[in-house]
């Protein structure tokens, strides 16, 4: 019981600071990728901050593992946590959890479930899209034969990918860029599934209410 | 109570005229974009009408705000209304609300829920697609390296985008055109979600009826 | 009552012959489009058969209208019938109704609802795709700058459109080809909606059964 | 009854070995396609193993048919089995059934239904994608005008197809490659349907639970 409490207390105290740290991480990454004219000194500072933040995420993971009192089974049961430590750019996606926590403190839900799912899907899409566009841009920039040459191109490509439209007027050509792209396509499918699922559930719910309200006549 | 009534009365009296005004706005915009050989005089007339209509929408928004008796919280709670004032081309999408209002006066629903959702989605798609095709065409026309060179091209591109097919044989290249395109992709996803959700709900409903009709045998 | 019976009797007697006639229409159209080395004489025969079949469809529509005893309201209530008279290539899509009729005679359903929806969607997709590929091919063939140059190309393009994949490596360029293409995109969306909806309903149904089978709880 | 038992016993004993054989078949096929510098001797060995495994699958099918005690109606009722004998590359897709069998032995389900559907869809997508990428690569490699020139290209194209994104920057050009591609597009649609359906069912389930938990008040 005490261990459980230790975990919960750690979780509650670190959640918000870690989320802000992950946003800072994303910001530092973005500056390093986008600010081309940055002096060598500033680049080093940004890299140092990036590594410091990453160490923080690693320490948090190890502390949680320790507090859980579990052995290797912890790693197996919290695969997402390990992924998020290895790829800190995905960490801001936890915004959903933060949002949920904050929302629950306000005593009652303000949004219906489907509106919430669409809100989460949108937030996730924006964060995933931004991190993905940065990574693909930094991988493609300067590659021979690349069609994604500006960050604007990368954002445009990202939007067409996440909505599964897929124009293909510009596409990544480097192995790194394509690997990230595949992850984004999967994200696009999940996004489409979430939007469709919410719509579907909303239609069904509305229909059921309509039916109940009407007299059960012939 | 009186304020509530004031709002309702205002709403009921202005709904239809404002909808017609928004259709006129779309029409004026379309003529300005498509009629290339228009004399300078006519262009000015159209521009004047456009601004007059826009003022009308703004006044309507301010009157509603006033009647609501709320402060800034009104803006936060009616985000869609503010968007529609800033981008009057999206205003005809309110056709759904008009349609609902008209339908309710006729005492009983003539269409089942899923047919209605598909009808709304189709109407929204046509209006959104028309406004989008116009805007993208006016942004791309004349841009260096543009592949969308006629309004027909723009409509073709719009259809492939809204259905999330996304051929990419012709795509916008200007920042303005791409920004509008992203909004249309999002619209395409919502459209797909609506169609899928309706189908889904129809299948489930039909299935449930089928099941109820059959004997509950072994 | 007698009129109702007249309609029903006409419907029952003409349904299967008209379906076979519509398949023959599709076949004649296909031969005229695909058999390029056909002698002038045979082309005329095919055209004559095509017109004869079309007259048949028109007569059937007029007889039904007459039997219904309704005025213009018949046209409004049976929009699909009018469309199918104007575009007889879409008529084989009625296979669903034929299939339903045949199935009901066999006393009990052999397929569950979702399997049936997927079967209908597949049949519709094949027939719509075949008619669409033919029409687009006949419109694009010989057009300047066309990328769809063989019937194989047209089928390939059709598949990528109906599944909403949309490669865009080859696309129609003529107004006629693009108009048909837009109809096929809409068909692709409906197909995707049907497949997704069936899956969705199947998952929900299976889940509900699973839940009912398990003991209700801790 | 005895025949039923014979079938069941055969099924239970052969299921796992046959699954491993199908994975070996996929592996041999992959080596033959990808290892270009392979000596003639090794190629022959691989071909021999491939044919031996295929004979095994055929024998299994015939034995099942025999044990069923049914005539030609067996073929009609087990169409999938016949397809899987003709195209052994699709056989690993049966992993779902193996997985189910293994899972059921462990006394209770560890994953909820929607997680399971997503897990199955992912496993199927990976296996279908791998087999498809191999086949398309072997068909396209060396074809004149082919844009898919490396296995990496083929995998990239496969991912964009299965998620229905469909960039079209590289596409198959040979009839064989395109035929496989159409099957993969259909697989992509089913995949999208499964993901969407699961999401949808999850949203509805969560919503229903939420509703039940709340007081039924006005």
């Amino acid at each position: 019981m005490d261990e459980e409490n230790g975990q919960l207390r750690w979780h509650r105290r670190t959640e918000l600071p870690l989320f802000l740290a992950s946003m800072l991480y994303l910001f530092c990454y973005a500056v390093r990728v986008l600010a081309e004219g940055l002096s060598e000194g500033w680049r080093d500072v940004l890299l140092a901050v990036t590594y410091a933040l990453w160490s923080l995420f690693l320490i948090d993971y190890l502390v949680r593992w320790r507090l859980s009192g579990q052995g290797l089974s912890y790693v197996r049961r919290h695969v997402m946590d390990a992924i998020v430590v290895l790829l800190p750019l995905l960490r801001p996606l936890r915004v959903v959890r933060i949002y949920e926590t904050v929302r629950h403190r306000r005593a009652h839900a303000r949004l219906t479930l489907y509106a919430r799912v669409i809100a989460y899907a949108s937030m996730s899409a924006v964060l995933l899209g931004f991190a993905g566009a940065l990574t693909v841009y930094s991988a493609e920039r300067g590659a021979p034969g690349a069609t994604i040459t500006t960050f604007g191109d990368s954002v445009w490509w990202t939007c067409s990918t996440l909505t599964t439209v897929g124009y293909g007027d510009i596409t990544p050509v480097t192995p790194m860029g394509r690997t990230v792209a595949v992850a984004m396509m999967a994200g696009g499918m999940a996004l489409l599934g979430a939007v469709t699922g919410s719509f579907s559930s909303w239609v069904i719910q509305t229909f059921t209410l309509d039916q109940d309200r009407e007299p059960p006549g012939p």
Side-chain angles (χ1 to χ4, degrees), chain A:
Chain A
M1 268 316 187
D2 201 50
E3 272 166 28
E4 188 68 29
N5 285 346
Q7 265 185 291
L8 267 177
R9 238 179 302 132
W10 176 266
H11 187 69
R12 223 176 281 149
R13 284 192 194 157
T14 58
E15 199 166 34
L16 205 63
L18 279 174
F19 175 68
L20 295 176
S22 72
M23 293 301 281
L24 184 61
Y25 185 94
L26 183 59
F27 173 78
C28 289
Y29 185 78
V31 170
R32 268 179 58 220
V33 169
L34 297 179
E36 294 187 41
L38 216 62
S39 74
E40 203 59 30
W42 274 109
R43 294 199 89 81
D44 289 352
V45 169
L46 283 171
L47 203 67
V49 173
T50 308
Y51 277 117
L53 290 169
W54 190 77
S55 317
L56 238 147
F57 300 146
L58 189 65
I59 289 167
D60 168 61
Y61 183 71
L62 295 174
V63 169
R64 277 173 199 244
W65 191 353
R66 189 66 206 280
L67 286 174
S68 76
Q70 297 171 330
L72 280 170
S73 71
Y74 179 83
V75 180
R76 195 165 46 75
R77 283 195 197 159
H78 298 78
V79 177
M80 281 306 292
D81 287 4
I83 289 173
V84 153
V85 166
L86 291 175
L87 302 167
L89 282 180
L90 292 180
R91 190 172 264 267
L93 289 181
R94 293 207 168 173
V95 68
V96 170
R97 219 145 81 182
I98 300 286
Y99 189 80
E100 277 291 297
T101 314
V102 171
R103 200 180 55 82
H104 274 301
R105 283 190 197 137
R106 293 213 207 147
H108 65 285
R110 287 267 279 278
L111 291 165
T112 53
L113 183 80
Y114 46 85
R116 241 157 47 198
V117 170
I118 287 182
Y120 298 165
S122 308
M123 280 191 288
S124 305
V126 168
L127 285 168
L128 179 68
F130 186 59
L134 280 172
T135 314
V136 167
Y137 174 53
S138 87
E140 292 291 310
R141 174 173 54 177
T147 48
I148 297 175
T149 51
T150 67
F151 184 61
D153 283 351
S154 191
V155 168
W156 166 246
W157 167 82
T158 296
C159 291
S160 96
T161 299
L162 281 182
T163 54
T164 79
V165 169
Y167 290 123
D169 50 346
I170 50 176
T171 46
V173 294
T174 59
M176 175 68 186
R178 287 189 172 174
T179 307
V180 175
V182 169
M184 289 167 77
M185 288 179 211
M189 273 190 106
L191 180 63
L192 197 60
V195 170
T196 303
S198 312
F199 249 107
S200 182
S201 109
W202 171 76
V203 170
I204 291 164
Q205 178 208 345
T206 313
F207 180 81
T208 315
L209 291 181
D210 264 33
Q211 222 171 21
D212 291 356
R213 224 177 287 142
E214 282 168 27

